[in-house]
Amino acid sequence: MIVVGAGIGGLAAAIRLAAAGFRVSLVEAADHPGGKLRQVPVGTAMIDAGPTVLTMKWVFDDLLSLCGTCLEDEIVLDRATTLARHVWRGGDSLDLFADPAESRRAIGDFAGRREAEGFSRFAADSARIYALLKDTFIDASRPNPVSLSARIGLMRPASLLALRPFSTLWSMLEGYFADARLRQLFGRYATYCGSSPFLAPATLMLVAHVEQAGVWIVDGGMHALARRLASIAADFGVTFHYGERVDAIMLDRAGRAVTGVRTDRDRVLSAANIVFNGDAGALATMLGQSRPRPVPLARRSLSAIVACTLVEPRDERLAHHTVHFSDDYRGEFDAIFGHGRAPADPTVYLCAPDRTADGARLDGVAVGAPERLYALMNMPADGDRCSYDESEMERCLTAMEGRLAANGSALRFDRSRMTVTAPDGFARLFPATGGALYGMASHGWAASFRRPAARTALKGLYLAGGSIHPGPGVPMAALSGKIAAASLMADRRSDGWSRPVAINGGTPMRSATAAPSPLQ
């Protein structure tokens, strides 16, 4: 079997297939695993340049249970007590906490008793939505509206209505919070799916519950998670081909079943089963169609300017996760999705990997020494249409620093020690995306049902990754790999394939040195 792409979805699929006894080869264009979980240099240090938040730890514990281990036995984790710090013009700030009672107290101190009560109702409703969708949608093969209703229960109309599929996240937040700053704070959860809170469905409230259920900081950064999963996969016999790009997925003469892949080394690797862990828009090119079919611009999710740099540690209010909000949130998203341009006044997300969740410097970070900083502003996914030259990126960086200054921060980016990725850079890194980081935007009630499913019309071809059901995000990508692997194994059984012979008659044993794995 072949897995194309060593992002989280591909790694999860490879581990599941290898743990079930299959021989798996994983082909990756980069010279390291991780996909979007990548690192870049800032001066002599390295810093994560992709996802920075780990939630839904149960997804990885479930995956690693197949290997006789769990996530905390494989990497060092710190559960955050402070989820994030949120800052507005003039320096008004609000921390959210893992303890809902602490968050309620903080919101009451920040905005008053009625807003604290609104938070309690919001937290309860977000937990209810998560409970309804966890097993019926998130951790399941892609449903359609009818099958989702059946999974939840057609005789439970109150539960179906609780999902509020036809309401936007922003409109629902108005029922909980009179303070526009709190609507900004909780509306930002739509950006976790690369979407606008003014267009995304209210079901994205569930992200609030996901965070309160646990946010973990990974020692060594999120890229360390990818490297550890790749190491575990290798222990179970997965063969990795790094630095080799798949240029084509090969089909039989009838064009109905996969037969293998051809790489940029003009090498053909034969396989009857392939898991493609890449953007769905790249499939047309992979299958030899004359023109690629990327997601139309109007349906693409957010892209970003990501600046990884060093800063002088003058901002003592910097937490591990800090969000500096713009003055005009609606205008920000209207610029991106309505006009396809960079917002003049962006919201800026900061990750300070040299700080603990609540902002204390990590042990070993010298007092007064420059700190690593990851800074992100949302952008349109126009990287296949626009070239971001130095002057355009400088305008964006200046806008980010302007927002930080307006919110009372003294942080300034060190441009002499900085790595910046713009939408055109993401478009080159992730083909056929245009720089969109989350596949399709989750706008409208039907958006979640439009994401491709794991199974395809071609026999033996399965899909995984953030553009595939159940959607973007590190744990969701891992779940896409789970669904792809499960679908593949179920189809092999239904086709009459015998179950692979496991080592020692049971689950394949993990070894320090993986045995050679011929393609299958």
Side-chain angles (χ1 to χ4, degrees), residues 42-121:
V42 288
T44 59
M46 299 295 291
I47 183 173
D48 280 349
T52 59
V53 178
L54 179 64
T55 58
M56 296 170 65
K57 188 171 79 70
W58 61 267
V59 171
F60 298 96
D61 286 334
D62 174 66
L63 170 65
L64 295 179
S65 69
L66 301 174
C67 307
T69 185
C70 65
L71 193 59
E72 285 176 305
D73 286 346
E74 299 296 332
I75 58 176
V76 178
L77 296 172
D78 179 29
R79 184 168 183 172
T81 52
T82 300
L83 301 180
R85 182 159 296 155
H86 308 86
V87 190
W88 290 266
R89 176 174 288 275
D92 289 344
S93 68
L94 172 65
D95 288 0
L96 286 187
F97 301 94
D99 182 351
E102 277 295 293
S103 291
R104 177 187 167 109
R105 178 200 57 73
I107 290 171
D109 293 342
F110 178 75
R113 179 178 59 83
R114 290 186 63 181
E115 302 299 88
E117 293 172 351
F119 168 75
S120 292
R121 291 187 291 109

Side-chain angles (χ1 to χ4, degrees), residues 129-130 133 162-165 167 169 200-207 448:
I129 291 173
Y130 176 79
L133 293 179
L163 296 177
R164 297 159 179 171
S167 299
L169 178 59
T203 48
L204 290 182
M205 289 168 54
L206 65 83
V207 178
S448 295

Side-chain angles (χ1 to χ4, degrees), residues 174-515:
E174 291 174 341
Y176 297 102
F177 305 109
D179 192 313
R181 296 171 299 178
L182 295 177
R183 294 199 297 273
Q184 271 187 312
L185 191 162
F186 293 106
R188 182 177 167 271
Y189 288 134
T191 67
Y192 285 38
C193 297
S195 305
S196 163
F198 303 95
L199 300 171
T203 48
L204 290 182
M205 289 168 54
L206 65 83
V207 178
H209 177 73
V210 166
E211 284 206 337
Q212 291 219 308
V215 170
W216 281 264
I217 298 172
V218 181
D219 185 39
M222 291 291 285
H223 184 65
L225 169 64
R227 287 196 175 276
R228 193 69 198 123
L229 292 178
S231 177
I232 292 169
D235 287 349
F236 276 82
V238 175
T239 300
F240 285 82
H241 301 274
Y242 289 120
E244 187 167 4
R245 186 183 68 247
V246 170
D247 284 340
I249 295 173
M250 314 294 289
L251 303 179
D252 64 6
R253 290 188 177 183
R256 296 178 180 175
V258 299
T259 60
V261 301
R262 186 179 67 247
T263 76
D264 59 353
R265 299 180 185 177
D266 203 27
R267 188 160 70 113
V268 173
L269 306 176
S270 298
N273 297 103
I274 297 170
V275 176
F276 177 70
N277 178 55
D279 193 271
L283 271 179
T285 301
M286 291 285 183
L287 294 171
Q289 298 178 11
S290 58
R291 297 179 61 186
R293 290 188 287 184
V295 174
L297 185 61
R299 291 172 60 183
R300 294 178 188 175
S301 63
L302 292 168
S303 188
I305 293 274
V306 173
C308 295
T309 184
L310 295 174
V311 295
E312 297 299 325
R314 294 178 294 182
D315 189 351
E316 295 301 325
R317 300 176 65 196
L318 188 65
H320 189 88
H321 300 294
T322 306
V323 184
H324 285 265
F325 283 107
S326 64
D327 290 339
D328 182 4
Y329 214 40
R330 187 180 292 273
E332 181 178 348
F333 287 98
D334 186 55
I336 295 170
F337 288 109
H339 301 285
R341 62 173 182 250
D345 179 19
T347 292
V348 180
Y349 163 72
L350 304 175
C351 179
D354 295 323
R355 299 209 175 201
T356 64
D358 61 2
R361 289 186 182 86
L362 294 177
D363 293 340
V365 178
V367 175
E371 294 182 35
R372 295 174 297 163
L373 188 75
Y374 167 111
L376 176 149
M377 66 176 279
N378 295 319
M379 294 286 287
D382 58 0
D384 53 350
R385 303 182 181 205
C386 299
S387 178
Y388 285 78
D389 59 20
E390 186 175 340
S391 62
E392 177 62 23
M393 287 204 281
E394 179 59 31
R395 280 193 291 271
C396 292
L397 294 173
T398 300
M400 294 167 77
E401 289 178 324
R403 171 42 51 193
L404 296 178
N407 289 10
S409 171
L411 288 175
R412 295 294 181 271
F413 306 148
D414 183 348
R415 286 160 176 74
S416 68
R417 294 179 290 183
M418 173 183 281
T419 299
V420 184
T421 311
D424 58 342
F426 287 117
R428 289 189 293 271
L429 284 168
F430 309 112
T433 65
L437 297 175
Y438 312 86
M440 292 188 297
S442 298
H443 292 163
W445 70 272
S448 295
F449 302 109
R450 288 197 294 262
R451 289 188 181 275
R455 285 187 174 91
T456 72
L458 294 171
K459 183 177 180 180
L461 179 61
Y462 302 85
L463 306 180
S467 68
I468 310 303
H469 173 81
V474 175
M476 303 294 251
L479 288 174
S480 77
K482 171 185 178 179
I483 295 169
S487 300
L488 187 160
M489 289 188 283
D491 290 348
R492 283 177 65 105
R493 288 193 294 270
S494 67
D495 287 344
W497 290 74
S498 61
R499 183 174 176 82
V501 177
I503 299 173
N504 293 341
T507 301
M509 295 180 64
R510 186 175 181 180
S511 61
T513 303

